[in-house]
Amino acid sequence: MRQHRLTSFFVLAYVVSWTPWLVHTAGLSLGTPFFPGGPLVAALVVIAVAEGRPGFRELGARLLRWRVGWVWYVVALGLPVVLVLVTGLLTDWLGAPAPDWSSIVWADVALTLALRLVNPTDSPLGEEPGFRGYALPLLQRRRSPLAAAAVLGLLTAGWHVPLVPLGNLGWIGLPSTVVIAFLYVWLVNRTGGSLLMAVLFHASQGAFTFGMLGYTGAAADRAAHVYFGVLVVTVALVVVGDRAAWRRAPASAVAAEPGTDVDRVPARR
């Protein structure tokens, strides 16, 4: 595990999250058919075995990296909302039933966001400390942010596969997961490796959904396909419009070498 930290992390993340699903398909039950906290558990186990206290300090420093400028808070919390709203408008334009804007209860959105930020068994805290907090810095030690985003997108999409047969995710959600990984990587790197921004982005992504626009059945399926297209265009704009961000990650968003004092690793803006 010490020599293959990245591989160990992904194997553990899959095993911990997929085991309830495999048990569920065998006709048994562990209380939940899929455990979203697998990446968090995997990161903590690998850090404990392979890195110890310096590794926990490095992960904690990324989670508490909040001095990133107010603009990035707007991006982290607002971009997921904008993506859904644009999807609603385009879905309506393509002939699906018009979204029910009056059904949006912003107080419910805020409450859902708050709950997702403190629940370690929910996706933001269950996934992000592992995928963007631990795996991404390791991937960026030898890869460009663009390559790291592609690898991480494929592996996170694969981790979500059981949600498709369970009915919690449409098949189009898998390529959408690959594409949106580029936005996560861009946001984390542009904020000096802030894991907090990834957690906020993920929490916002799940707090405001197509269901809140009144989409159900075939309309919801069409909206999910439109959402994929919106993501592709958004990522293309970010990659072309901010090319410098994809060449090299800042030092503060790259895993420190074993034995390095992480407090002395400079942030490269």
Side-chain angles (χ1 to χ4, degrees):
M1 189 175 290
R2 291 188 180 95
Q3 296 177 352
H4 305 284
R5 290 181 293 166
L6 196 58
T7 301
S8 299
F9 162 75
F10 280 110
V11 169
L12 278 174
Y14 273 64
V15 169
V16 172
S17 293
W18 282 31
T19 296
W21 172 56
L22 297 175
V23 172
H24 175 77
T25 58
L28 303 176
S29 175
L30 292 178
T32 177
F34 184 83
F35 181 54
L40 172 61
V41 173
L44 295 179
V45 170
V46 175
I47 291 174
V49 173
E51 301 174 22
R53 186 176 299 176
F56 286 117
R57 188 165 66 247
E58 186 175 2
L59 182 64
R62 292 195 179 98
L63 181 59
L64 299 177
R65 194 164 293 156
W66 61 274
R67 294 183 177 181
V68 299
W70 66 268
V71 171
W72 294 108
Y73 281 90
V74 173
V75 173
L77 293 171
L79 182 56
V81 175
V82 171
L83 293 173
V84 172
L85 292 176
V86 171
T87 297
L89 292 172
L90 290 176
T91 304
D92 179 29
W93 180 69
L94 291 173
D100 183 7
W101 304 108
S102 64
S103 67
I104 301 175
V105 181
W106 293 106
D108 289 347
V109 175
L111 178 60
T112 303
L113 175 67
L115 291 175
R116 287 170 62 82
L117 288 173
V118 298
N119 184 0
T121 64
D122 201 355
S123 296
L125 289 180
E127 292 183 40
E128 296 313 318
F131 288 142
R132 255 64 70 164
Y134 188 69
L136 177 60
L138 285 173
L139 284 168
Q140 293 189 143
R141 284 178 62 181
R142 293 179 174 83
R143 297 173 179 84
S144 69
L146 193 65
V151 172
L152 189 58
L154 290 171
L155 290 171
T156 53
W159 178 82
H160 283 83
V161 164
L163 295 178
V164 176
L166 288 172
N168 299 109
L169 185 70
W171 74 265
I172 193 64
L174 297 180
S176 293
T177 300
V178 175
V179 176
I180 203 170
F182 288 82
L183 295 181
Y184 276 100
V185 171
W186 173 71
L187 179 62
V188 169
N189 284 342
R190 275 307 186 193
T191 54
S194 175
L195 171 58
L196 176 60
M197 293 300 105
V199 172
L200 291 176
F201 188 93
H202 200 145
S204 179
Q205 185 186 348
F208 188 65
T209 63
F210 303 128
M212 293 182 176
L213 297 180
Y215 288 121
T216 58
D221 186 61
R222 177 177 292 186
H225 284 74
V226 173
Y227 181 69
F228 170 70
V230 171
L231 286 177
V232 170
V233 172
T234 303
V235 168
L237 291 174
V238 170
V239 171
V240 174
D242 192 9
R243 296 178 185 177
W246 303 98
R247 297 191 185 103
R248 187 179 182 186
S252 53
V254 177
E257 295 288 344
T260 300
D261 185 349
V262 298
D263 293 329
R264 295 181 181 178
V265 175
R268 188 166 59 235
R269 301 294 181 183

